[in-house]
Amino acid sequence: MAIEMCLEDLEINRGTNTLYNKETGEIIEDKEVIINLLKKVSKDKQVDNAKVKEIRRMFDLEEKKEKYWLNWKEDSHFIKIYRTELREYMQTIKLSPDEGLFLFCIQTYVEFQTNRIAKPDGTSFSNKELQELTKLGRDKIKGLLKTLEDKLFIKRVGQRQAREIYFNPYLICSGNEVSKATVNLFKDAGYRPITPY
């Protein structure tokens, strides 16, 4: 089409779902003409956005925007937080600021499948290393381990230096698989899931 058009020249007939030139009455069916016109008006701040959107719909030119990154960090490890369960559980107990800080600091060390709190090399944290990680004192760490175990966020297994710390898999886990032994550890301690998922 040789005639130069602008958006104001066009009218939409919703009854027939057609676009036509108001001055000439010509029905506009050429998709390339519409694409070029929409490119031309895309930088115009006073353009009739509703009209542009309707024309895009009519000619199947709706802008497709990527809303999500699929395969986001696909080669990275991840922690799964069961937020509905965690929110509901948090309504039933009170956490001190130090308890919250401690949980926040250790959650990135939840080991795949076992839910054990472990360093990247697979070894367990000593209390001294937990102090360095959280910037909390020795007595505070001892107290936090006890209260967080009482509140069923963690479970300690073993004695003194040989003890292991496990994070409650109903609240947070690493990856999509969890050891049945870890799940049973928290079931046996009295944890009862609040939500069905």
Side-chain angles (χ1 to χ4, degrees):
M1 178 181 292
I3 301 171
E4 188 72 23
M5 275 189 295
C6 63
L7 194 61
E8 293 78 29
D9 295 335
L10 302 178
E11 190 70 37
I12 298 169
N13 183 332
R14 286 183 173 65
T16 60
N17 201 31
T18 55
L19 183 68
Y20 65 94
N21 186 315
K22 287 192 279 190
E23 289 183 25
T24 66
E26 177 187 4
I27 294 176
I28 312 297
E29 295 175 315
D30 188 344
K31 207 172 192 174
E32 285 302 313
V33 169
I34 296 302
I35 289 170
N36 290 332
L37 177 64
L38 293 176
K39 279 182 188 173
K40 190 170 86 173
V41 299
S42 67
K43 291 178 178 57
D44 184 356
K45 293 190 189 303
Q46 296 181 343
V47 71
D48 182 348
N49 287 319
K51 191 175 197 178
V52 168
K53 187 175 180 178
E54 183 65 15
I55 291 169
R56 284 189 182 285
R57 184 201 59 76
M58 288 174 67
F59 285 86
D60 197 27
L61 297 171
E62 294 184 51
E63 292 179 299
K64 298 196 175 26
K65 295 180 182 173
E66 270 310 312
K67 287 186 177 182
Y68 309 101
W69 284 279
L70 300 178
N71 301 321
W72 171 251
K73 293 190 170 192
E74 64 186 47
D75 295 329
S76 297
H77 301 286
F78 62 91
I79 298 294
K80 186 182 282 188
I81 298 174
Y82 296 101
R83 60 185 183 187
T84 305
E85 180 78 14
L86 187 56
R87 277 187 208 131
E88 293 295 320
Y89 190 55
M90 293 291 287
Q91 297 297 318
T92 67
I93 52 124
K94 295 271 190 251
L95 280 181
S96 72
D98 287 339
E99 289 169 335
L101 169 69
F102 184 86
L103 291 173
F104 181 78
C105 289
I106 67 169
Q107 73 183 352
T108 59
Y109 293 96
V110 174
E111 187 176 58
F112 178 60
Q113 293 179 324
T114 66
N115 251 42
R116 182 174 65 99
I117 305 303
K119 294 183 279 189
D121 65 5
T123 59
S124 296
F125 281 93
S126 67
N127 281 9
K128 185 164 181 58
E129 289 168 325
L130 289 173
Q131 284 176 246
E132 292 168 9
L133 178 68
T134 62
K135 309 294 186 257
L136 297 170
R138 186 184 67 158
D139 292 338
K140 183 62 82 173
I141 291 293
K142 283 183 180 180
L144 287 174
L145 290 172
K146 168 93 174 81
T147 59
L148 289 171
E149 187 167 17
D150 291 344
K151 293 176 181 180
L152 299 175
F153 276 96
I154 63 168
K155 188 79 178 115
R156 293 178 289 177
V157 176
Q159 298 295 317
R160 300 187 167 251
Q161 299 300 322
R163 65 96 174 95
E164 306 282 352
I165 301 171
Y166 293 85
F167 207 111
N168 186 335
Y170 290 101
L171 305 174
I172 290 177
C173 71
S174 179
N176 289 321
E177 299 173 17
V178 179
S179 160
K180 286 183 181 178
T182 304
V183 171
N184 290 334
L185 191 64
F186 285 87
K187 267 188 188 174
D188 295 345
Y191 188 84
R192 298 293 172 257
I194 299 168
T195 59
Y197 32 81

